[in-house]
Amino acid sequence: MMKSKPDEEDYWNSSKFKAFTFDDEDDEFSRLKESKQAVNSIRGLVEEDDDEDDVEKVSWSGEPVGSISWSVRETAASNHRTDREPAFPKINTETPPLSRSHSGYSLSSLFKGKTKGGNFQSITDTLSDSSVRLYAPELRKPKSEYKDYVSDWSPEETVHRMKQGKSVSLEKFRSLQDKLLLLDFSVAAHDGNVITAVLIYLKRTLSKEVLFRELESRQTALRHFIHYLTETRDQKLLLELLRALGRTEDMVLLQYKEHLSIADENKRRDFLKSCLSLPFPADDSAHVQDHYTLLERQIIIEATDGQAERGGKVEMFHKFPRRASIVNMPLITTLYYCCFYHYEEPEGSFSSPLNIRHTFRISEKQFFVTALAARAKLKAWSDVDALFTCRNWLGFTRKRSPVTFSRVVDILQKNSAPTQVLQDYVALVDDVTLRISLAQKLKCHDIIINTYRDLKDRQLLLGYRGKVEIGSAEERKIIELLDNQQIRWKN
Amino acid sequence: MAHSARRDSPELPDFSLLKRLARDQLIYLLEQQHEVDKLYKVEYKPIVSTSDQLCFLIRPRIQTVKWIYVANADKAAGRFRRYKIIFTPQKFYACEAVLEEQGIFGDVTTDEWAFYLLPLDDDIISLELPEFFRDNFLAGDQRWVRTAGSALHLLHTVYGPFSKIHGIGRFSKMAYESWREQVEEGETKARQAEIGKVFLIDRDVDYVTPLCSQVVYEGLVDDIFRIKCGCVEFGTDVTSSDKRVKVMLNSQDKVFDEIRNEHFSNVFGFLSQKAKNLQTAYDKRRGMDIQQIKTFVSEELKGLKQEHRLLSLHIGASESMMKKKTKQDFQELLKTEHSLLEGFEIRECITFIEEHINRQVSMIESLRLLCLLSITENGLLPKDYRSLKAQYLQSYGVDHLLTFANLKQSGLLVEQQPGETLTVMESKVGKLVNDKAAGKLTDAFSSLAKKSHFRALSKKLNLVPKSDEEYDLRVPRDMAYIFSGAYVPLSCKLVEQVLERDGWTGLEEVTRLLNGHEFSVTAKNDAQRIVLVMFLGGCTFSEISALRFLGRERGYKFIVVTTAITNSSRLIETLLDNHA
């Protein structure tokens, strides 16, 4: 705002009529301005007299009137401009300098922007100043506060004031150009709070079609709008927006997401079924199909098993009561559950692990690991053993595993398998050092002794003798080996 | 163990002033309300109170504002109560718009508590805004940019003026601009500057570091027990009694202060030495005469008891962490992480991650490893991406389709686009980096994701020391010690380089790989050795430890300002979307 120099002010005060008698038009205009200014400043004072809550009702200002000016923004602003520190330069942030014509800056606002502080405005300003003083001297307010009630801020000034949390009125931005200018200046200011505020105004005053169209070329504003709609849960408008933008993937995910807020499992299943027709990308489409199939199946299994459990006739449920419902659990948890409770069932049954494996295309490794954990948990060691067994073409059985045997040992051990079981699998670990360290950790003495024997390492074997219990079978075995003349020890 | 700092390193400013300022303002705001009789946690339920005036102190979140008016539908019930909402650190127009839309604007009045900075320790200040990360880096909502600028402005006003500002990242630039404008709008009085240089960094400049397992004591405690606001709750396994304890973890805790920056492998030795010393100090009382015992009790005993308490606490914590880590094959996990950082045996790493997923080990941990794989490898091969995603959904639920979409949008877990696969050689030298390749990473529309170029960066900045060299963790030689000598955190390396060069000169290739947005501005030349490093989007305790190390080596004092303390779990959790 242009500050009028005191002498200028004096001049106008003393010569008010002179200045305005030559030109009628100017006079008219200034009178209008005068009265407007006077009214506005009266309103300001009236409001200030009211209690502070009412002030907040009308102004969106950073601080309520009368509140302590604690925040740095305020303290800093009230300080005098003394001892200015060396200024930091403006750096070029991502958005290119806003071109006014780009948004269709209207001629009138351009004019206002250009003449800000210019001759014309300073005349009217000083005039209205003096007129206020004339008509209502006691209502005079500090100059700096005048603009709070003047509503002819340019879009740029408006955005600037909004950033500072000062009150503004957006209502006067009625042309599309002005609205977009407002938006573009808010984006250029990098203040998300202001961007969203402008968007809320645009949402209210523009048709969806126009708003969507304009947002398409304004990515930053678009992101803010999407986030705002997400936070206010305006699902309907958000879907429309995404559709208009052709963002199918985001749109279908948003629709799919709704299932999370449906608590009833049957309703959720039905909803998922309706999602199947949505244009998901190929991979995701299969996943959603799986989600539906799985939930459908879980509901059936839950009903059957719940009944069986309540009936009390099935020993499994009696011995190992179910801890939670299987509904809405992940697929692998369901597979584990079925390996636990329904392991023996024929493949035709819905709850048979094999059926699940085929329906959901579960990899061999994945199936193996899950079944292993479930059967180990039940201490069904023969089942565990059978998982590894495969016959070669000569009919010999051997143990084979899709995961390393050290991993197998780890799974078994986590399911508290006894040493006798563990050592069978430790023995199958190929890597000697790994085998030894596993065996030591799990106290599989036999394996260590046999490995040392195979390594023909007498020293290690001697050393190990000290680690086993005196008089135990292990010690006897070590002594036997050490006494064995046929072994050609390497040390 | 206590490293001797360089003699010429300056003293840190006193940040307790920040707390005092904030407190005074809050008291002022509350006194306006008269007789605040009870504080409630804002939840989605009505507040039972006979008072006809309720005051809420909340973060400016639309959800919370909605809770307040929905849960307290007094108007519908014909009851008149006055509501006041105090937003901190500032109000957002969108929150007030919600009140307006509901027709209760005016019945509910609002105010602001400009509480920006919470000093967590002598050298750590937090904005306590964990949502900054998701809002900025996922949604692309810049609502906190001005907040960051204001926080900086507050520090500038109280402890400045700053002499130099360096930064990298989009939001750093914006925060700088916002700060600069606020400086121009206001005025600072000339005073003795306590903070000279400032370094601003966006979290997405370096995702690798926060995704790694932390092995420095403080970081490990945060990973396992979660430090909240500088405070941690230890369970019964730590206290070896039947009660849980809540303790403050900061430099006031003398035992903690000495081990917080240490690699975990050193901590046990230190603690046991400390225990021995304590024993000796206690033993001194033997053979004392009455007078001596009197002096001992009045002068030393209290301190010894205090130390005793702290020592047993940290020994308990170390034991408990050790147990937890052994149980989950920590060694193997670290090996995989190091291989990923080194770009070595990637197939084996993928197998490891796959088994992790297959066994449903940990939903967060699996995602963390997937993200680390993606960032270090510049995206997953389409075949791997599809297979790992499918297995993940099988193990942890198809709902995570939404999580994967988020991870893709933020650039943390992406699929390499066809024809984009770099050869080993190319990725090592970053040959393909040109303006085109440095653009957007995914085809997601409004994605902010950028290519990571980790390998090339790692090579340029020498982030991964040669693995065949012995690394003595007791005598760290560089910041890599915080990751067992396997990796120098990229974020901290950038700070080091820029301070050394006093700008970005000579780092052109590096900034290009980081997608630019670097800046350096000088107001005046000043040899100030107190450097404020501000992380936009969170920083980890490991990074703080690394900077402390750098400070000791180079004679700087670092002040870390962060939007929140983060770690791998928090980072991933903010991007989960498998619940309503």
Side-chain angles (χ1 to χ4, degrees):
Chain A
M1 153 149 188
M2 183 72 187
K3 281 184 187 163
S4 8
K5 293 182 189 87
D7 53 343
E8 222 175 33
E9 218 169 297
D10 289 339
Y11 168 75
W12 287 113
N13 283 340
S14 59
S15 56
K16 189 194 176 242
F17 293 104
K18 263 186 224 165
F20 276 84
T21 39
F22 346 81
D23 194 331
D24 284 337
E25 270 178 50
D26 247 302
D27 198 26
E28 287 274 331
F29 185 66
S30 63
R31 257 185 215 150
L32 197 70
K33 278 257 171 187
E34 274 167 28
S35 32
K36 190 170 157 198
Q37 185 90 58
V39 168
N40 279 340
S41 44
I42 290 166
R43 192 181 71 196
L45 283 184
V46 167
E47 279 162 7
E48 211 172 31
D49 287 339
D50 257 348
D51 71 20
E52 52 150 305
D53 291 340
D54 285 330
V55 174
E56 288 188 61
K57 209 186 288 178
V58 291
S59 75
W60 183 58
S61 75
E63 254 89 53
V65 179
S67 115
I68 189 171
S69 290
W70 175 86
S71 82
V72 173
R73 179 169 71 227
E74 296 299 325
T75 14
S78 63
N79 278 339
H80 291 291
R81 300 198 162 238
T82 49
D83 289 322
R84 183 140 191 94
E85 279 304 318
F88 276 89
K90 193 172 162 66
I91 50 168
N92 182 28
T93 24
E94 194 171 71
T95 32
L98 191 57
S99 135
R100 302 193 162 193
S101 55
H102 165 71
S103 312
Y105 201 88
S106 73
L107 197 62
S108 61
S109 46
L110 191 68
F111 181 61
K112 260 181 241 158
K114 280 268 162 71
T115 55
K116 184 177 74 159
N119 207 23
F120 172 71
Q121 204 150 10
S122 73
I123 290 172
T124 51
D125 274 358
T126 35
L127 274 175
S128 27
D129 268 8
S130 51
S131 60
V132 171
R133 193 177 288 174
L134 254 169
Y135 295 127
E138 71 279 14
L139 295 184
R140 188 176 157 78
K141 304 184 69 198
K143 271 200 190 109
S144 59
E145 288 196 288
Y146 268 122
K147 279 216 162 179
D148 281 359
Y149 308 102
V150 177
S151 58
D152 57 353
W153 301 100
S154 72
E156 189 171 11
E157 288 166 317
T158 304
V159 165
H160 190 69
R161 288 179 63 82
M162 289 175 85
K163 272 202 298 193
Q164 296 171 320
K166 290 186 184 160
S167 67
V168 290
S169 161
L170 300 180
E171 301 304 325
K172 71 174 202 85
F173 297 102
R174 302 192 67 173
S175 71
L176 179 61
Q177 282 90 336
D178 275 358
K179 287 183 208 286
L180 294 177
L181 212 50
L182 198 59
L183 184 61
D184 290 342
F185 273 113
S186 70
V187 169
H190 309 305
D191 189 328
N193 180 30
V194 179
I195 299 173
T196 308
V198 171
L199 284 167
I200 291 172
Y201 173 65
L202 262 51
K203 177 184 168 227
R204 197 157 54 77
T205 58
L206 284 176
S207 81
K208 281 179 288 196
E209 291 73 24
V210 177
L211 180 58
F212 293 174
R213 186 188 71 210
E214 296 299 338
L215 284 178
E216 197 164 4
S217 57
R218 293 172 168 81
Q219 286 295 311
T220 305
L222 178 61
R223 278 194 288 266
H224 282 80
F225 196 52
I226 290 176
H227 196 217
Y228 172 71
L229 295 180
T230 311
E231 283 196 304
T232 51
R233 313 221 165 174
D234 196 339
Q235 182 91 348
K236 203 171 142 271
L237 191 58
L238 186 50
L239 283 174
E240 275 179 68
L241 172 64
L242 294 174
R243 189 174 298 122
L245 296 171
R247 287 169 61 166
T248 324
E249 198 173 335
D250 294 337
M251 192 181 79
V252 292
L253 276 175
L254 186 66
Q255 280 169 287
Y256 167 75
K257 189 180 178 174
E258 252 180 276
H259 83 266
L260 291 168
S261 47
I262 303 172
D264 180 85
E265 59 237 36
N266 289 306
K267 283 192 188 131
R268 187 186 270 212
R269 178 200 55 206
D270 296 343
F271 180 84
L272 284 173
K273 192 172 183 186
S274 75
C275 285
L276 296 179
S277 57
L278 295 174
F280 280 102
D283 284 348
D284 289 357
S285 179
H287 295 314
V288 175
Q289 172 73 54
D290 280 355
H291 193 178
Y292 164 70
T293 318
L294 179 65
L295 183 57
E296 189 185 35
R297 193 168 287 212
Q298 284 171 335
I299 292 171
I300 297 169
I301 296 174
E302 182 63 31
T304 323
D305 288 4
Q307 209 171 19
E309 190 175 38
R310 280 187 298 277
K313 296 226 174 87
V314 183
E315 198 198 343
M316 268 305 277
F317 295 125
H318 197 66
K319 255 166 83 182
F320 305 98
R322 302 183 314 147
R323 267 190 251 134
S325 157
I326 194 65
V327 174
N328 289 326
M329 291 294 169
L331 174 63
I332 298 309
T333 312
T334 313
L335 177 65
Y336 181 89
Y337 174 96
C338 292
C339 287
F340 198 89
Y341 290 109
H342 305 280
Y343 196 61
E344 306 293 342
E345 280 174 23
E347 209 180 321
S349 151
F350 259 165
S351 45
S352 135
L354 288 175
N355 187 313
I356 293 204
R357 177 181 176 176
H358 288 141
T359 310
F360 297 99
R361 309 167 309 280
I362 295 171
S363 72
E364 186 198 359
K365 193 157 128 186
Q366 174 71 79
F367 180 81
F368 179 86
V369 170
T370 315
L372 182 65
R375 299 323 285 170
K377 187 87 190 164
L378 282 169
K379 314 220 176 305
W381 305 122
S382 58
D383 288 342
V384 167
D385 197 52
L387 273 170
F388 295 94
T389 311
C390 75
R391 282 174 199 284
N392 65 10
W393 60 280
L394 289 172
F396 295 117
T397 62
R398 60 187 184 91
K399 282 196 164 60
R400 209 178 60 95
S401 159
V403 294
T404 61
F405 277 101
S406 58
R407 186 72 67 217
V408 170
V409 171
D410 187 39
I411 294 171
L412 291 174
Q413 186 233 340
K414 287 214 163 86
N415 285 292
S416 40
T419 314
Q420 307 88 280
V421 175
L422 283 176
Q423 66 183 6
D424 286 353
Y425 298 95
V426 175
L428 292 168
V429 174
D430 275 337
D431 185 277
V432 175
T433 18
L434 192 59
R435 192 194 316 150
I436 295 274
S437 77
L438 271 175
Q440 279 172 342
K441 197 170 125 195
L442 303 168
K443 305 217 168 9
C444 302
H445 302 300
D446 261 7
I447 295 185
I448 298 171
I449 296 165
N450 290 343
T451 309
Y452 289 158
R453 179 200 62 202
D454 296 346
L455 289 172
K456 307 199 190 313
D457 198 325
R458 192 183 163 87
Q459 292 311 312
L460 282 177
L461 199 56
L462 264 173
Y464 200 70
R465 190 178 159 182
K467 289 186 184 152
V468 297
E469 264 179 67
I470 295 166
S472 64
E474 288 83 23
E475 198 198 20
R476 279 199 300 280
K477 186 170 172 185
I478 292 175
I479 294 168
E480 230 169 72
L481 282 173
L482 289 174
D483 292 344
N484 190 332
Q485 299 300 315
Q486 287 175 334
I487 303 176
R488 302 168 76 187
W489 299 103
K490 71 172 181 192
N491 52 22
Chain B
M1 171 138 328
H3 304 276
S4 54
R6 270 174 51 159
R7 291 263 164 85
D8 60 348
S9 70
E11 287 297 308
L12 287 168
D14 176 18
F15 292 119
S16 57
L17 180 65
L18 293 173
K19 274 189 187 165
R20 226 160 41 234
L21 283 172
R23 193 193 54 203
D24 290 352
Q25 201 210 8
L26 182 63
I27 289 172
Y28 178 80
L29 282 173
L30 292 178
E31 273 176 354
Q32 280 190 316
Q33 310 306 310
H34 313 293
E35 298 168 26
V36 171
D37 76 338
K38 202 168 169 194
L39 290 173
Y40 298 90
K41 189 172 181 232
V42 178
E43 284 169 308
Y44 184 51
K45 63 178 189 201
I47 284 153
V48 184
S49 166
T50 52
S51 173
D52 55 5
Q53 182 169 304
L54 296 178
C55 175
F56 302 89
L57 177 61
I58 60 166
R59 286 278 187 218
R61 291 177 193 138
I62 288 176
Q63 186 60 54
T64 321
V65 175
K66 280 191 172 177
W67 277 358
I68 290 174
Y69 75 75
V70 175
N72 297 282
D74 288 334
K75 220 178 178 183
R79 181 166 178 203
F80 183 75
R81 275 205 285 210
R82 283 161 64 91
Y83 290 88
K84 178 107 185 174
I85 298 179
I86 302 174
F87 292 104
T88 184
Q90 66 190 101
K91 50 178 135 179
F92 285 145
Y93 189 83
C95 292
E96 295 201 313
V98 168
L99 296 176
E100 192 179 339
E101 273 169 30
Q102 297 305 315
I104 50 173
F105 193 93
D107 299 337
V108 179
T109 56
T110 59
D111 218 328
E112 277 182 328
W113 178 35
F115 179 43
Y116 289 103
L117 299 163
L118 175 71
L120 293 179
D121 208 339
D122 297 341
D123 59 350
I124 312 173
I125 303 174
S126 170
L127 273 73
E128 292 296 307
L129 282 175
E131 58 261 65
F132 185 101
F133 180 75
R134 189 176 161 124
D135 286 343
N136 270 277
F137 295 104
L138 179 66
D141 188 322
Q142 301 161 6
R143 61 173 60 155
W144 302 112
V145 166
R146 188 172 170 97
T147 317
S150 302
L152 209 51
H153 186 216
L154 176 56
L155 288 165
H156 179 258
T157 313
V158 184
Y159 304 102
F162 306 147
S163 55
K164 236 170 221 186
I165 300 186
H166 309 286
I168 184 157
R170 294 177 63 226
F171 298 114
S172 292
K173 256 187 179 176
M174 292 181 193
Y176 165 81
E177 267 302 309
S178 170
W179 165 78
R180 192 189 55 77
E181 278 174 26
Q182 293 180 53
V183 171
E184 274 184 5
E185 282 159 21
E187 197 43 63
T188 44
K189 283 180 242 160
R191 55 189 302 286
Q192 182 59 44
E194 290 180 86
I195 297 173
K197 288 179 189 152
V198 175
F199 190 99
L200 301 171
I201 182 168
D202 281 18
R203 183 69 276 174
D204 71 348
V205 167
D206 174 15
Y207 276 141
V208 172
T209 306
L211 285 172
C212 292
S213 293
Q214 305 194 71
V215 283
V216 164
Y217 187 74
E218 189 168 12
L220 198 56
V221 171
D222 189 38
D223 271 2
I224 294 180
F225 300 104
R226 298 213 173 203
I227 301 174
K228 284 179 199 141
C229 267
C231 200
V232 72
E233 189 169 353
F234 286 131
T236 49
D237 52 331
V238 171
T239 57
S240 11
S241 67
D242 50 3
K243 53 174 195 260
R244 308 170 66 80
V245 287
K246 241 181 168 174
V247 283
M248 296 286 287
L249 290 182
N250 55 37
S251 56
Q252 301 298 307
D253 178 337
K254 293 299 166 214
V255 175
F256 177 68
D257 197 36
E258 283 189 84
I259 53 174
R260 67 195 305 184
N261 300 313
E262 289 300 318
H263 189 272
F264 190 61
S265 60
N266 292 343
V267 170
F268 269 121
F270 172 82
L271 290 175
S272 76
Q273 185 55 46
K274 201 87 182 150
K276 272 182 208 144
N277 297 348
L278 190 66
Q279 188 62 50
T280 324
Y282 270 126
D283 287 348
K284 266 201 327 202
R285 70 182 191 279
R286 281 186 202 147
M288 282 180 181
D289 61 29
I290 288 288
Q291 196 51 46
Q292 283 166 323
I293 285 184
K294 209 171 149 191
T295 326
F296 176 81
V297 170
S298 65
E299 281 166 19
E300 281 178 67
L301 195 60
K302 194 163 166 257
L304 290 177
K305 274 192 172 157
Q306 165 82 350
E307 198 178 327
H308 187 167
R309 195 182 59 78
L310 293 171
L311 203 52
S312 58
L313 195 68
H314 289 293
I315 290 174
S318 301
E319 272 175 351
S320 162
M321 293 196 289
M322 197 69 184
K323 257 186 225 152
K324 285 193 177 115
K325 287 300 181 190
T326 336
K327 220 164 113 189
Q328 62 159 63
D329 302 318
F330 196 44
Q331 210 54 49
E332 215 174 334
L333 192 72
L334 287 180
K335 207 183 110 208
T336 304
E337 282 178 27
H338 294 170
S339 298
L340 288 174
L341 291 167
E342 223 180 319
F344 179 63
E345 295 185 332
I346 296 302
R347 269 299 126 198
E348 283 77 355
C349 293
I350 292 177
T351 311
F352 178 85
I353 298 171
E354 204 170 54
E355 281 179 10
H356 214 85
I357 295 170
N358 288 165
R359 294 172 62 188
Q360 295 181 302
V361 179
S362 149
M363 178 179 92
I364 300 289
E365 199 101 289
S366 299
L367 269 188
R368 176 173 78 83
L369 291 170
L370 284 175
C371 292
L372 198 58
L373 172 70
S374 171
I375 298 262
T376 52
E377 287 288 292
N378 217 350
L380 272 63
L381 294 174
K383 174 176 68 77
D384 292 331
Y385 180 81
R386 248 167 262 157
S387 140
L388 288 165
K389 178 176 168 184
Q391 293 185 68
Y392 190 92
L393 297 179
Q394 290 187 339
S395 276
Y396 305 107
V398 183
D399 307 337
H400 283 291
L401 268 180
L402 300 156
T403 305
F404 274 82
N406 286 347
L407 290 170
K408 181 174 170 187
Q409 174 139 337
S410 59
L412 274 164
L413 178 53
V414 296
E415 186 178 354
Q416 283 175 8
Q417 297 306 307
E420 203 182 49
T421 317
L422 306 186
T423 63
V424 177
M425 199 49 206
E426 279 171 335
S427 74
K428 282 245 167 78
V429 297
K431 188 179 155 218
L432 280 191
V433 183
N434 51 38
D435 294 340
K436 212 170 142 198
K440 278 186 183 170
L441 178 62
T442 65
D443 53 353
F445 277 85
S446 60
S447 172
L448 295 172
K450 299 284 195 289
K451 281 179 161 265
S452 78
H453 299 300
F454 178 74
R455 295 268 172 265
L457 279 168
S458 163
K459 177 125 179 143
K460 280 261 160 350
L461 291 167
N462 204 8
L463 300 179
V464 177
K466 288 197 180 63
S467 57
D468 48 358
E469 285 170 35
E470 271 301 306
Y471 197 103
D472 187 356
L473 292 166
R474 245 174 281 262
V475 196
R477 59 165 181 262
D478 55 23
M479 293 186 281
Y481 92 92
I482 64 159
F483 291 121
S484 313
Y487 164 61
V488 182
L490 171 59
S491 51
C492 304
K493 186 73 179 183
L494 289 173
V495 174
E496 177 204 283
Q497 289 294 309
V498 169
L499 287 179
E500 204 167 86
R501 296 158 194 266
D502 201 25
W504 295 94
T505 323
L507 294 170
E508 290 79 7
E509 186 67 8
V510 170
T511 56
R512 207 149 58 89
L513 290 164
L514 289 169
N515 303 302
H517 294 299
E518 79 282 3
F519 60 92
S520 268
V521 283
T522 310
K524 58 174 183 206
N525 275 309
D526 193 351
Q528 187 55 261
R529 302 188 77 82
I530 294 196
V531 184
L532 188 152
V533 180
M534 185 173 192
F535 286 86
L536 296 163
C539 86
T540 64
F541 281 118
S542 290
E543 287 169 309
I544 298 175
S545 290
L547 288 176
R548 285 180 185 138
F549 174 85
L550 186 66
R552 283 193 301 269
E553 292 281 297
R554 308 281 165 90
Y556 290 114
K557 271 274 163 64
F558 284 103
I559 298 155
V560 174
V561 179
T562 178
T563 50
I565 296 286
T566 193
N567 61 23
S568 55
S569 308
R570 290 192 196 103
L571 193 76
I572 301 285
E573 277 162 11
T574 52
L575 298 172
L576 292 182
D577 233 341
N578 63 326
H579 39 74

